[in-house]
Amino acid sequence: MKDRRLLWLSIGLGTVFWLCDAAVDVWLFEQQRHFLAEVFTSEPEEVRLRLVVWGLFAVIGYYGQRLITALQTARDELQQRVQERTQELEATNIALSEEIAERKQTEAALKTMSRTVQASQEEERQRIARELHDEVGQTLTMIKLNLQLVQDNAPKAETNAHLQESLALTDQTLEKVRDVALDLRPSMLDDLGLVPTLRWYADRHAQSSGIALSFQSDGVTDRDIPPDIATACFRVVQEALTNIARHARAHQVRIELGIHADSLHCTIQDDGVGFNVTHAREAAIQGRSIGILSMQERAELAGGGLNIVSIPQEGSEVRARLPL
């Protein structure tokens, strides 16, 4: 049932006005007439005025009631739309939350998988390095010894020359096998720890590249560094030095290792030509160079981070932070 209270109130006010006007007329002008007679049998002009005023009240009540009804209807529709929109937003929010949670789970799974892959790679590197050192290296050493025995007993100078050439090739092959084994995974990283390995690797890299290289560990001891963090740090340094040797045209490189706020901090700084870090990252994403991504992935999978600062013609600095 529609609410017509404003309409009836307006009609009532119009009727009250009519009665009040009649009462005033009786009291002021025609006190000899009875009140009811004044209400119903007044002069035509007076009746018309009262009818007009009463009609105005009725019209105002009628259209006012319609306006209120329309406003109430619009309010109800607006509330309904707000409620529906709120429900839609809640459903969308729930869907987004579920998608975010699913993506986080996927990212966590991918990180776990990447850690597993890297751990498997390190184990495989270690196995291959040991096989190269133990089996291939020993075999080549035996070949060298046999060639030396043959050389000692060979009477002809021509045969001796071939044997010397074979011995030289054997020495070169042995050296290359040792280098490959060390690059795959230095055994001293497992035997002695990170600090001696980095110091040895820096000296070896300086000799092979001709770059003046210094290493400072700031009192870091290997008992403070877990094996996985040591491996990640070594790989970051290895990749950074490889990039410097290939692209930087540097004369001096400085490696600093320190522990601050329960984290291992490693800095590799060079005085080379520098590069545009943004362009290098874009090239790495497009697959043209994976050095930067490899270092960043190593640091992030270990739970840390990597920051690279480089100024063209002024050198570069790689900062790795790895939690302990």
Side-chain angles (χ1 to χ4, degrees), residues 149-161 163:
L149 289 174
V150 173
Q151 183 184 27
D152 294 337
N153 298 320
K156 295 181 180 180
E158 183 179 354
T159 304
N160 193 33
L163 287 174

Side-chain angles (χ1 to χ4, degrees), residues 179 182-186 188-189 194-209 213 215 233-243 245 255:
D179 290 342
L182 291 173
D183 288 335
L184 280 172
R185 184 176 178 87
M188 63 188 308
L189 183 61
L194 177 63
V195 175
T197 303
L198 285 181
R199 184 173 287 110
W200 162 82
Y201 190 80
D203 293 339
R204 176 172 173 265
H205 188 82
Q207 293 175 3
S208 62
S209 63
L213 202 152
F215 174 76
C233 183
F234 175 77
R235 293 304 179 193
V236 169
V237 173
Q238 186 182 39
E239 186 65 41
L241 292 181
T242 300
N243 291 338
I255 302 174

Side-chain angles (χ1 to χ4, degrees), residues 40 67 137 192 228 255 257 264:
F40 295 107
L67 177 61
L192 302 179
D228 58 331
I255 302 174
L257 203 64
L264 178 67

Side-chain angles (χ1 to χ4, degrees), residues 140-158:
L140 288 172
T141 301
M142 292 301 299
I143 293 173
K144 179 181 177 181
L145 292 175
N146 291 333
L147 288 173
Q148 287 176 341
L149 289 174
V150 173
Q151 183 184 27
D152 294 337
N153 298 320
K156 295 181 180 180
E158 183 179 354

Side-chain angles (χ1 to χ4, degrees), residues 93-117:
N93 187 36
I94 293 173
L96 287 174
S97 300
E98 292 176 351
E99 184 177 352
I100 291 172
E102 184 178 352
R103 287 186 177 181
K104 287 183 177 179
Q105 292 177 354
T106 303
E107 289 177 359
L110 287 175
K111 286 185 177 180
T112 302
M113 185 181 299
S114 296
R115 291 192 190 98
T116 303
V117 169

Side-chain angles (χ1 to χ4, degrees), residues 249-261:
R249 298 200 295 274
H251 299 92
Q252 293 183 344
V253 176
R254 180 180 179 85
I255 302 174
E256 294 182 357
L257 203 64
I259 295 178
H260 309 285

Side-chain angles (χ1 to χ4, degrees), residues 227-285:
D228 58 331
I229 299 300
T231 300
C233 183
F234 175 77
R235 293 304 179 193
V236 169
V237 173
Q238 186 182 39
E239 186 65 41
L241 292 181
T242 300
N243 291 338
I244 291 172
R246 289 177 178 175
H247 310 294
R249 298 200 295 274
H251 299 92
Q252 293 183 344
V253 176
R254 180 180 179 85
I255 302 174
E256 294 182 357
L257 203 64
I259 295 178
H260 309 285
D262 297 328
S263 294
L264 178 67
H265 291 254
C266 181
T267 302
I268 306 99
Q269 187 177 26
D270 69 78
D271 62 349
V273 297
F275 62 97
N276 188 305
V277 178
T278 302
H279 292 169
R281 290 186 185 277
E282 292 175 354
I285 292 174

Side-chain angles (χ1 to χ4, degrees), residues 279-293:
H279 292 169
R281 290 186 185 277
E282 292 175 354
I285 292 174
Q286 295 173 3
R288 296 199 298 268
S289 174
I290 61 173
I292 292 178
L293 289 184

